[in-house]
Amino acid sequence: MNNFFVNRLFLFFIFLFTLFLFSCGGMQKGFRPDRKYPPEVLRKDYLVFRHLLEAWHPSLYWYTSKDSMSAYFDEGYTAIRDSMTEPQFRRVLSYVISKVDCGHTSVRASKAYARYLDTAHLPQFPLILKFWNDTAVVAGNLNRRDSVLKRGTQILTINGRTTRQLTDTFFNYIVTDGRNQTGKYQYLSTGLHFSSWYKDLFGYPDSFEIGYTDTSGKLKETRVPLYDPRADTIRRSLGRVLLPGTPPPDKGAPKRLRPAGRRARKNRELLFTRSLQLDSVSHTAFMTLNTFEHGYHLRGFFHHSFREMKEQQVKNLVLDVRSNGGGDASLSTLLTRYLIDKKFKVADSLYTVRRHSRYDRYINNGFLYEMLTLVASRKHSDGKYHFGYFERHYYSPFRNLHFDGHVYLLTGGNSFSATCLFAGALKGQSNVTVVGEETGGGYYGNTAWMIPDVTLPNTRVRFRLPRFRLVVDRQREKNGRGIIPDVPALPTVEAIGKGLDFKTARAKELIRQNAITPPHLQ
């Protein structure tokens, strides 16, 4: 989670970036994903990892006591008994770093290994699953010919392990803010994260024994093969032009359209990232906002959207931020000013614990971050370096184009970082209703703002190291939870099976209820 001021400081120091860019190495020649590192080499990297977290992380003991965290660090060091591959070493680091309970602090593959993963087309667990509580439901199946495990099928076991056993195991390696579980369930439900962790923790067999319930509720089992994307690509190609009996292309059929140009791709990306639709019948606007990152012309989008809503006399705004992982806090603050009804601060406190340490040479662009901290913060009597501007400055609601109708915020496990600053500021406002699931990001605060990568010297494994602790409001309870919805809208097996947008449906239902019965009479 960055901010406008920090971005401008980055531009001021841009010439320093070039020095570090020239020092960055490319992929190692003869890269081997199965390379093993000797234990003494891994221990050296681990000590750098531990020292930097203990020296720099301002919230290392926010949710985990110092004694407990030290025990986890010792446990990780003891686990390095023999040579390890990079994924095995990353698993050790991920186990330890998850105990910090900070969603902005996470382990990443080395650049060489990341490039390998981008091009290797590795086999995958065949099912995309939606997880919540002790439930797992098929949301997609990579084996398109599978007529058994269709969307909406509830999965009970995978190779003898129950859904609860699987999630309890995976959660030991997944980061989140505080004690939040919704974010971890959502993480496993997104993309190939479940597949990746299954491979890392259990390995891939040739096939999987799947226990499930059929449409009548009966318990059944089936065996499915490991999905190989390379073989699937070959089948698609053969099916088009090589398989015997395949009919020739229809000469009268329309020609295949050329791939879209860069402008068309950019427009599609913008439409996916932020969009506005108006329903004149219900006087309702539906805004989707999937990021607060720069590069998507959000300032202009906000201004245009709220001007159009005012012209069309919109009474209800359904604002979907359930897939918004955050971004620049200046943009989330800007959107807040269109909707909030009082002055507000971004943070009660925002500070870092130091400006340098003896292992800073492993922090990517470490000198630059040191200079930014020097410019942006001042040491206070508590010994911390505070970003005083945001601790003191109050933002006022916009007068022109301010939206005074009812706002329905759709949230979920992917709502994170700057999105939680935005939703948290509006939480409890009389005309705002939070609908959906608990956010993945913390309500009390987070550790973010400046988040450099650290590259360990031998394995080149990276991890994110946030520099500033942000407490939004000291009056809030520090219970490790996200923003709890005013009106829950939770997934069901039926909703996943039918592909229903149950959160938007719940918001529409609330709008209909409010149209019949005014809110002050409910």
Side-chain angles (χ1 to χ4, degrees):
M1 178 179 64
N2 298 317
N3 57 79
F4 184 79
F5 181 59
V6 171
N7 286 336
R8 290 302 174 267
L9 286 174
F10 265 93
L11 291 175
F12 179 73
F13 290 109
I14 194 65
F15 71 94
L16 292 174
F17 267 104
T18 58
L19 299 178
F20 289 97
L21 291 175
F22 280 116
S23 66
C24 294
M27 185 185 295
Q28 299 171 357
K29 292 183 178 179
F31 171 77
R32 291 190 295 105
D34 59 348
R35 175 188 176 185
K36 288 196 171 185
Y37 295 87
E40 58 272 17
V41 170
L42 298 172
R43 292 189 188 109
K44 289 179 181 178
D45 273 11
Y46 187 87
L47 290 177
V48 174
F49 165 79
R50 176 172 183 170
H51 174 86
L52 283 169
L53 281 172
E54 289 180 327
W56 270 110
H57 202 292
S59 304
L60 192 62
Y61 312 118
W62 213 2
Y63 295 104
T64 306
S65 69
K66 185 173 182 178
D67 287 345
S68 296
M69 200 65 232
S70 294
Y72 286 125
F73 277 125
D74 292 343
E75 184 180 352
Y77 188 83
T78 303
I80 306 173
R81 302 185 184 91
D82 202 351
S83 299
M84 290 181 175
T85 62
E86 180 183 319
Q88 290 171 332
F89 183 54
R90 277 192 272 117
R91 186 170 65 202
V92 173
L93 301 182
S94 295
Y95 174 83
V96 175
I97 218 167
S98 71
K99 305 306 181 284
V100 180
D101 291 327
C102 171
H104 289 92
T105 311
S106 57
V107 176
R108 304 171 63 190
S110 67
K111 290 184 178 180
Y113 206 98
R115 283 191 286 265
Y116 161 74
L117 292 175
D118 285 343
T119 58
H121 302 295
L122 299 174
Q124 302 290 343
F125 179 77
L127 303 177
I128 307 297
L129 302 176
K130 169 64 179 176
F131 289 91
W132 70 94
N133 297 334
D134 294 332
T135 306
V137 177
V138 176
N141 193 331
L142 298 177
N143 289 320
R144 294 167 297 159
R145 298 180 180 180
D146 189 342
S147 60
V148 176
L149 300 178
K150 298 179 180 179
R151 183 185 181 100
T153 304
Q154 185 171 355
I155 303 300
L156 304 177
T157 60
I158 299 174
N159 284 352
R161 296 183 180 90
T162 66
T163 299
R164 179 64 178 271
Q165 290 172 330
L166 289 168
T167 54
D168 282 353
T169 300
F170 292 163
F171 281 9
N172 279 316
Y173 301 88
I174 299 173
V175 300
T176 191
D177 273 356
R179 310 299 185 198
N180 192 306
Q181 299 294 295
T182 308
K184 292 192 176 189
Y185 282 119
Q186 186 59 56
Y187 174 86
L188 286 179
S189 304
T190 304
L192 297 174
H193 290 152
F194 176 84
S195 175
S196 176
W197 276 112
Y198 193 100
K199 177 184 178 182
D200 284 348
L201 296 175
F202 304 124
Y204 277 158
D206 293 332
S207 60
F208 301 88
E209 190 72 33
I210 306 293
Y212 68 100
T213 57
D214 65 9
T215 53
S216 64
K218 292 183 179 180
L219 305 181
K220 290 191 174 183
E221 287 189 349
T222 186
R223 183 170 290 276
V224 296
L226 185 66
Y227 174 74
D228 187 346
R230 293 167 297 185
D232 187 62
T233 301
I234 293 173
R235 282 198 299 269
R236 292 184 195 182
S237 176
L238 291 175
R240 282 197 300 268
V241 296
L242 294 176
L243 286 180
T246 302
D250 182 359
K251 294 182 179 180
K255 294 182 179 180
R256 182 177 298 175
L257 297 176
R258 294 181 179 179
R262 189 161 79 175
R263 177 177 295 181
R265 290 195 301 270
K266 181 64 175 179
N267 288 338
R268 283 202 302 267
E269 183 182 4
L270 288 174
L271 183 63
F272 170 79
T273 303
R274 78 291 190 282
S275 63
L276 180 72
Q277 295 179 321
L278 299 180
D279 181 356
S280 59
V281 176
S282 63
H283 301 285
T284 299
F286 297 87
M287 180 184 291
T288 298
L289 189 62
N290 290 332
T291 189
F292 283 113
E293 293 284 358
H294 281 287
Y296 298 97
H297 311 297
L298 291 181
R299 293 178 182 274
F301 171 74
F302 294 155
H303 183 82
H304 171 79
S305 296
F306 284 97
R307 184 179 62 191
E308 187 169 1
M309 283 188 278
K310 185 173 184 177
E311 291 173 353
Q312 298 298 322
Q313 300 181 335
V314 168
K315 298 178 181 179
N316 305 291
L317 169 61
V318 179
L319 209 172
D320 186 350
V321 292
R322 55 189 149 170
S323 295
N324 193 323
D328 194 313
S330 70
L331 293 173
S332 65
T333 300
L334 178 68
L335 180 59
T336 305
R337 298 178 68 188
Y338 283 101
L339 300 171
I340 202 165
D341 61 4
K342 59 183 178 297
K343 292 182 178 181
F344 68 101
K345 286 196 300 184
V346 171
D348 269 350
S349 67
L350 179 62
Y351 66 78
T352 186
V353 294
R354 63 175 66 239
R355 284 180 175 156
H356 56 82
S357 75
R358 65 190 181 96
Y359 280 119
D360 285 358
R361 61 187 180 278
Y362 303 118
I363 299 176
N364 297 1
N365 303 318
F367 178 71
L368 173 60
Y369 279 98
E370 184 178 339
M371 292 298 100
L372 289 172
T373 304
L374 180 65
V375 171
S377 65
R378 293 292 181 269
K379 191 173 184 178
H380 284 200
S381 58
D382 60 2
K384 310 295 194 305
Y385 296 87
H386 287 254
F387 208 140
Y389 174 80
F390 289 103
E391 295 180 342
R392 298 185 301 269
H393 185 71
Y394 280 86
Y395 294 89
S396 298
F398 286 128
R399 293 183 179 180
N400 187 31
L401 302 184
H402 188 273
F403 184 78
D404 299 315
H406 204 109
V407 181
Y408 300 86
L409 287 182
L410 306 186
T411 62
N414 279 332
S415 304
F416 190 70
S417 195
T419 303
C420 294
L421 299 184
F422 163 70
L426 296 174
K427 169 77 172 175
Q429 188 168 301
S430 60
N431 67 325
V432 174
T433 304
V434 181
V435 182
E437 298 174 87
E438 179 181 3
T439 61
Y443 182 47
Y444 181 75
N446 60 43
T447 310
W449 218 256
M450 297 181 188
I451 316 177
D453 273 354
V454 173
T455 301
L456 298 178
N458 298 297
T459 60
R460 312 302 292 174
V461 169
R462 298 170 292 170
F463 69 94
R464 302 180 79 209
L465 183 63
R467 303 283 281 262
F468 279 80
R469 174 195 282 194
L470 183 151
V471 175
V472 179
D473 185 347
R474 296 189 188 93
Q475 302 294 325
R476 298 177 184 175
E477 182 183 2
K478 186 174 73 71
N479 59 6
R481 298 296 300 273
I483 298 165
I484 307 299
D486 303 309
V487 178
L490 306 177
T492 64
V493 175
E494 179 185 15
I496 301 303
K498 294 182 178 180
L500 301 177
D501 185 353
F502 51 91
K503 294 179 184 178
T504 300
R506 187 71 179 99
K508 290 180 177 179
E509 181 183 345
L510 292 171
I511 292 171
R512 288 194 295 269
Q513 291 175 355
N514 287 342
I516 297 172
T517 306
H520 68 280
L521 296 179
Q522 292 179 5

